[in-house]
Amino acid sequence: MKNGLYTVVLLILLSVSSIFGQNGNLITSEAQLQEMKTALKSDNLFHATVNDAIEKVAPYLTSGLDVPVPKDLAGGYTHSQHKLNYSIMQKAGMLYQLTGNDTYAHLIKNTLIKYAQLFPTFDRHPATRSYSPGKFFWQCLNDANWLVYTSQAYSSIYEWLDQDTRDLLNQKLFKPYADFLSVQTPQFFNRLHNHSTWANAAVGMIGLVMHDEDLIEKSLFGLPFKNENTIDNDGGSIIKEGQKKAGFLANIDYAFSPDGYYFEGPYYQRYAMYPYLMYALALDRNKKELDIFNYDHQILLKGIETLVQLSNEKGEFFPLNDAQKGMSYFSRELKLAISIAYEYGDANKNGLLSIVEELQSVPLNYGGFLESNAIAQGKVTPYNKRSLLVTDGNKGDKGAIGILRGNRQEYIMKFTQHGMGHGHFDRLSYLMYNKGDEILQDYGAARYVNVNQKDGGGYLKENKTWAKQTVAHNTLVIGDRTQCHAKVDKAEKATPSLYYFDINNANIQIMSAKDSIAYDGVQQQRTLVLIKDDAFENPILLDLFRANLSSDQKLRMPYNYKGQMMYSTFENKSLNTLPLLGQKDGFQFLWKVGEAPSQGKFNQVNWFNNKVFYTLNMATTKEDSINYVLLGANDPKMNLRNDKAFHWLKKGHKGENLFASVLETHGSYSYTTELAPNTYSSIKNVNVLFHSTDYTAVSFENKSGEKWVFVLCNSDASTSSKHKLKLDNETLKWKGVYQLKKLI
Amino acid sequence: MKNGLYTVVLLILLSVSSIFGQNGNLITSEAQLQEMKTALKSDNLFHATVNDAIEKVAPYLTSGLDVPVPKDLAGGYTHSQHKLNYSIMQKAGMLYQLTGNDTYAHLIKNTLIKYAQLFPTFDRHPATRSYSPGKFFWQCLNDANWLVYTSQAYSSIYEWLDQDTRDLLNQKLFKPYADFLSVQTPQFFNRLHNHSTWANAAVGMIGLVMHDEDLIEKSLFGLPFKNENTIDNDGGSIIKEGQKKAGFLANIDYAFSPDGYYFEGPYYQRYAMYPYLMYALALDRNKKELDIFNYDHQILLKGIETLVQLSNEKGEFFPLNDAQKGMSYFSRELKLAISIAYEYGDANKNGLLSIVEELQSVPLNYGGFLESNAIAQGKVTPYNKRSLLVTDGNKGDKGAIGILRGNRQEYIMKFTQHGMGHGHFDRLSYLMYNKGDEILQDYGAARYVNVNQKDGGGYLKENKTWAKQTVAHNTLVIGDRTQCHAKVDKAEKATPSLYYFDINNANIQIMSAKDSIAYDGVQQQRTLVLIKDDAFENPILLDLFRANLSSDQKLRMPYNYKGQMMYSTFENKSLNTLPLLGQKDGFQFLWKVGEAPSQGKFNQVNWFNNKVFYTLNMATTKEDSINYVLLGANDPKMNLRNDKAFHWLKKGHKGENLFASVLETHGSYSYTTELAPNTYSSIKNVNVLFHSTDYTAVSFENKSGEKWVFVLCNSDASTSSKHKLKLDNETLKWKGVYQLKKLI
């Protein structure tokens, strides 16, 4: 469907008449409504949702909803009130349909009339901060939100309204509003961006309600291109280089990889899924022929599954790129998404119900009703969070996110597209979680969303100057500079590439990726190997990070750890009058609190977080050293957290360089018994046996004298190639990319 | 019973014969055992406890228990093995009694014979770090632990053993061991200290098992005094000035206040409760006449209730004095204590069962069986964590801890005795919790108990140099010096005094205390008033801290807050090359990361922690300023957490000085909806209307224009005195200590 044929197919479909539901229901059919009413006879999750909605709407049935003249930015009264209005109207619409109680219908009607009266009385919102100033809100994005929700409410009472009112609302409010968001604001409507997805859905949904073919067509295919070559608030360009399409379908095509990854990362995927799915639902109810949920191999449904996989044990999304930590599948958007995945997807088989059970709540829609029924019938099966590769790019060829999971540890390596304005310069970085706790963190976004005292709740300037910089991530910093000179354009030009990914052997899971763009003249490769062996309490992570340099340069590997430092073989000298680590590239926010030279060929750093111990076992040289750093310099408003890191430094030499380490998760602590078993790593050495551009061989040994040798071919990912590598004492022979040998 | 009469009474009691149970059961009677067996017929908490014990003991029924020659310090193999042995033997004893399966009895017998063979072969443990080196352990304390547990195991099989084995064990192991812990180590046995409580219990319990009157008498009344005037590991003196008694009863008399507060604080109370209660239980089973649980108005039972009250919403004890945070009533000791409180105390009425239900586990004893039964019968009633005053000192006249609770906030003010070697210099400090989260913290102890890499798991040197210092607490630091010049002797000499405590009015709870010892020539008084009013989302805390100085001195009020700074009216200049805050008294560990002058008469500091906002609303003068500090300087081993604080500074003038503030808990945040209501305080000013040694009057106003005036008499705590205070515009008249007036 991606080859342009769809335009033809759809235009034919659109010309077929009798495609609208008879009950005016945009997202719920009459038959579904009848089914849903049965739920109200007993105690169940859906009934609880209905009761909750009744409670939320109740106060406004008497007071009505205020429709103030727009004035405020986000967080202010008029902004919040208009948000409240669409949320209440949408609930009231569903309640009217479910209960037949027309006080709900009257609430919607009265409110919409106020909007229809207000709409023509002014041009745009007085605030001018946005690249697309809105109507009732400071930015069109919020207006599109309003219309996506309100279309649902309007649909609920569409048939109930008298013709005059309907005409009034269509002509004075909704048609002009749809035009406002589309033809009058093409720089907002015609992008390949989550903003436009909201706009497309809003215009399409109100089009479906009003039976307005023109709006529907615009929503699906966008507007003709004119002069949208401006930039948005974040400095991103409005129209992509070479962009030829716009509209809802183009946004699906562009934004999702075949694995269902959304190019801006999980945090924005969560936000974008709502319009994608609500409009898809409306299209499915009203334009069955379009078969939208099967579009592009069910890409929308796949997107939901992928998003759930991109969360930790607590359900929180991995905070890749700009993302506020803590956003999770407990959000409203994901409740909805999961209900749709449940309704349209592989039903009871995919384990999603166990997530719904964890949420303890279903949304106010037909999918929510189905979930509630299935849970009441005991159909819950466990959801399987697994190791997986999630490719990026609409052809799946622009890098990926690799996730290795073992016991309760999760390792997430990022080698995706940059992610436009919200991207971070963090190629080949990885995050680590244990039991849902962050152990090696990505800082996330420097932002307190909607908290007014932190610069109005928007992105803080430290988001750009700190959070996006390479040193805020767990990946190699070369020459104390940020990747791609911190230029989005450069970073967008080429993505890292997958070298190898194999999770078929539960005892040796491996992922490897390469990059040659981050630093000029540098070929980088990181290989993470998760090794499960009874000798270790938990799987251990072997990390081989190679960098081939065209000249000598300082190499700095940050470990942005969470927890308390316990001990290190580096003899730290504490620096009491703290110097800054540097002047730019994020270094200006770091104090150097300690530094120490390497103690020979093997070093350890051991820390403690939430009752578990972690040790980085490092193959070092005498030239290596360590820095302990603390975040918070140059930050008079205390916008940043006082997070910590240790940096493993090497003198990088022209040619091949290697960071080889084994990270062990071990031991435990109880604050009530005060027992502390296994507080030390069981590993007693890590050695580099051989390293070249083509091959890397390392060994490590535990305290019981068991020894492992791992060898990797860096230049041939074929699983059938045969290799031979001569070491000092022996010759290793193997087939395929790698070999792990255990010697006892 | 405190007046010495008990000696006579008890000597009479001890002369009565036939006082030992016939079944050799030290802590469980035959009748109780029969009852307990009924629990094994169904699923219940007690049965689960039994199954758990069976599982834990099982491996050793075949392998036996190793009894190694002692060698290691805490954490090492021999230490851990001897600990394991007593734990397994105790369980095996109870299982033998419950199941009649004599493989359990054989395990105990075989292990004890090994001990009897090993015991005579060496003198003391090779380590010499303790003031009382032990036998199987590096310190006698652990040996006393061993004997308290093993007495129970031995008792279980006492009647089952053949006479020869019994004689062997009595003569070669237990009698010599009891002598070792008492007459051979009087500096350990004869103290008023938790160490001696363990020793007394150990010797008394094995005395009960062996029917050895001499040991029992020593345990209850101690040894004659000789030359115990040495000091212990922590530098505390072994014998108190004027100490005339020793032994178990003297330790009860000395250690508990009439309110059941233990003089070393909750963390050590938890540790000490085990021997107090186990021996009491044994005495009750075997010397009913002693009526130990009614001793001194049921002081032991009262101690349990008080300890539970001294915990936050999560059940964690307030970390006053030396205390590792996280210790809670989920500990083994408290499970036991609560079961005994349940068995002997006011049974179902006191709500303790709801705590047991929270623990989801009962101990392996008769009390645990009763709890399990009661829970199965649905007898759980809510436990009431309430505001209360807990006096200190064995007459209740040595200060107190005051706790005000309102909504889910808890405020704990400390004005107790110093607490000997484990005491902190923190008079008039308060801690604050919300929903169980620390908001204004006490650092707790600088220690990672049993974590070997942190100085063997013992107290870190930073415990003395940082954690005990005044600046590590939320109380006034005068002249940048620690209270009492950081001298325990000085601090022990006089305690702060309660001025006023009244919680009868749920809308105005008040506590006030005074001190004149902390700083020479300074009279201090802190008054905390928890005010509940519908105008505020949560009760607000009015804090009036007055200091009467004999000369000008710098005043520094630390707020050791948890969370992220959101904003402040102080215009902070960030200091990028961090200076130390000072050179001593804990200041050497603090970096000054920012400082700012006051912005006039009213200032605010607003921070955020775990989804809630907090604002300190401060009545300031132009001379005031603020410091932002960060912990971690001079700490190359990173023994300290990188905690934060802000310090409110005043130029202290000779005569009266006042810190007046209102702390508001407000707003909320959701990481999934990203809604952030009420992120700002509702208070818009705090004014000092009048302040003298005798009277303090303040007002504060909220954004709705509601205004409150609070006036306090600082020098007359009578509730019937009448007062008149002339202000600029009006004259206040009231009866009693304070008055709160709301003006609208």
Side-chain angles (χ1 to χ4, degrees), chain B residues 293 301 304 334-354 356 362-363 365-381:
Chain B
F293 284 113
L301 299 173
I304 301 169
L334 264 285
K335 278 184 199 170
L336 178 93
I338 291 170
S339 76
I340 291 170
Y342 183 75
E343 181 182 351
Y344 287 92
D346 203 359
N348 303 319
K349 292 175 199 156
N350 57 17
L352 279 179
L353 274 184
S354 75
V356 179
V362 298
N365 63 11
Y366 183 66
F369 160 78
L370 293 178
E371 291 174 332
S372 173
N373 266 7
I375 285 176
Q377 290 162 23
K379 291 186 179 167
V380 176
T381 54

Side-chain angles (χ1 to χ4, degrees), chain B residues 507 531-539 702 706 708 742:
Chain B
N507 293 326
I531 298 167
K532 191 175 163 189
D533 190 301
D534 286 344
F536 303 105
E537 211 181 327
N538 294 293
N702 70 7
E706 294 170 299
W708 290 259
K742 182 172 179 180

Side-chain angles (χ1 to χ4, degrees), chain A residues 561-573:
Chain A
Y561 72 100
K562 286 292 198 81
Q564 179 73 31
M565 191 55 61
M566 283 284 120
Y567 92 95
S568 160
T569 51
F570 294 90
E571 284 271 342
N572 184 37
K573 277 163 295 187

Side-chain angles (χ1 to χ4, degrees), chain A residues 572-589:
Chain A
N572 184 37
K573 277 163 295 187
S574 126
L575 301 165
N576 293 323
T577 304
L578 292 194
L580 294 180
L581 193 65
Q583 296 301 327
K584 59 183 187 60
D585 286 4
F587 286 57
Q588 68 274 31
F589 297 106

Side-chain angles (χ1 to χ4, degrees), chain B residues 151-360:
Chain B
S151 295
Q152 299 169 49
Y154 188 38
S155 159
S156 306
I157 63 164
Y158 200 74
E159 298 296 324
W160 169 86
L161 283 174
D162 59 284
Q163 184 69 41
D164 285 352
T165 310
R166 206 152 54 204
D167 288 348
L168 169 84
L169 293 175
N170 285 358
Q171 288 157 27
K172 296 291 178 196
L173 177 62
F174 287 112
K175 181 64 167 67
Y177 209 163
D179 289 344
F180 174 87
L181 291 174
S182 53
V183 289
Q184 292 169 30
T185 322
Q187 77 276 23
F188 171 65
F189 192 81
N190 247 12
R191 303 177 72 179
L192 297 175
H193 192 283
N194 73 66
H195 286 189
S196 299
T197 303
W198 278 99
N200 303 154
V203 169
M205 287 170 77
I206 198 65
L208 286 171
V209 176
M210 299 191 296
H211 306 188
D212 185 324
E213 287 298 334
D214 175 58
L215 292 181
I216 298 167
E217 195 179 323
K218 282 173 179 157
S219 80
L220 291 170
F221 306 112
L223 306 168
F225 287 101
K226 285 185 190 160
N227 300 316
E228 294 96 346
N229 289 320
T230 50
I231 56 166
D232 70 11
N233 302 349
D234 307 322
S237 56
I238 293 292
I239 297 301
K240 308 277 156 218
E241 212 179 303
Q243 183 184 333
K244 293 199 175 61
K245 291 175 195 158
F248 189 69
L249 297 170
N251 262 300
I252 297 180
D253 296 341
Y254 178 77
F256 290 97
S257 80
D259 286 333
Y261 179 73
Y262 182 78
F263 73 119
E264 288 184 297
Y267 179 79
Y268 278 92
Q269 179 162 1
R270 175 270 326 170
Y271 183 67
M273 283 318 274
Y274 192 89
Y276 273 119
L277 293 171
M278 279 319 272
Y279 189 27
L281 202 54
L283 287 170
D284 188 69
R285 303 279 191 246
N286 295 285
K287 290 191 175 297
K288 202 80 199 165
E289 325 81 282
L290 190 51
D291 202 13
I292 188 72
F293 284 113
N294 279 318
Y295 183 75
D296 192 16
H297 310 284
Q298 304 195 320
I299 191 66
L300 290 177
L301 299 173
K302 201 173 283 175
I304 301 169
E305 149 74 358
T306 298
L307 190 47
V308 173
Q309 288 288 352
L310 289 172
S311 70
N312 67 20
E313 246 189 63
K314 296 173 181 164
E316 297 165 344
F317 300 124
F318 301 133
L320 303 167
N321 292 338
D322 282 348
Q324 179 165 275
K325 290 181 183 177
M327 181 55 76
S328 74
Y329 57 54
F330 288 83
S331 63
R332 188 186 62 226
E333 297 90 342
L334 264 285
K335 278 184 199 170
L336 178 93
I338 291 170
S339 76
I340 291 170
Y342 183 75
E343 181 182 351
Y344 287 92
D346 203 359
N348 303 319
K349 292 175 199 156
N350 57 17
L352 279 179
L353 274 184
S354 75
I355 306 236
V356 179
E357 202 169 45
E358 197 184 326
L359 303 177
Q360 272 300 305

